[in-house]
Amino acid sequence: MANIKSAKKRIRVIETKTLRNKMIKSKVKTLVKKVESAVAAGDKALATTALKDAVVAIDKAAAKGIFHKNTAARKVSKLAKAVNKVA
């Protein structure tokens, strides 16, 4: 356990940031699942709207440094490719 005041503060700050990161990652996962379920159901309109929401969330996460920019691009590309395959 830290004894120095600044080290104690860093521990508190890191806990706060970790919770924020988990929350945002969880939201992204949920939105990705919505896109994938719409694609599996074959619903093009629902998949397209879900894709827009997912892309926004992924881009925000990448901007905040939660995802690397290449990871975000890969996730968006994968989802867009899946949605475009739906007839």
Side-chain angles (χ1 to χ4, degrees):
M1 187 64 199
N3 292 324
I4 299 169
K5 189 176 183 181
S6 61
K8 290 178 182 176
K9 181 179 178 181
R10 292 307 317 156
I11 290 169
R12 289 195 311 269
V13 170
I14 288 168
E15 284 176 1
T16 305
K17 288 184 177 185
T18 301
L19 288 174
R20 186 196 76 174
N21 291 348
K22 280 185 182 178
M23 180 184 71
I24 293 171
K25 282 184 181 182
S26 175
K27 182 179 180 182
V28 167
K29 286 179 187 177
T30 303
L31 292 171
V32 167
K33 285 179 189 174
K34 285 185 181 179
V35 174
E36 290 172 348
S37 65
V39 167
D43 190 350
K44 179 84 170 176
L46 182 62
T48 306
T49 56
L51 175 66
K52 287 179 186 175
D53 294 339
V55 168
V56 169
I58 292 169
D59 288 343
K60 279 186 182 178
K64 291 179 181 178
I66 295 165
F67 289 134
H68 189 274
K69 64 177 187 167
N70 291 354
T71 302
R74 185 179 67 243
K75 288 178 182 288
V76 169
S77 174
K78 178 184 162 196
L79 291 175
K81 195 173 174 182
V83 170
N84 287 336
K85 282 186 179 179
V86 176

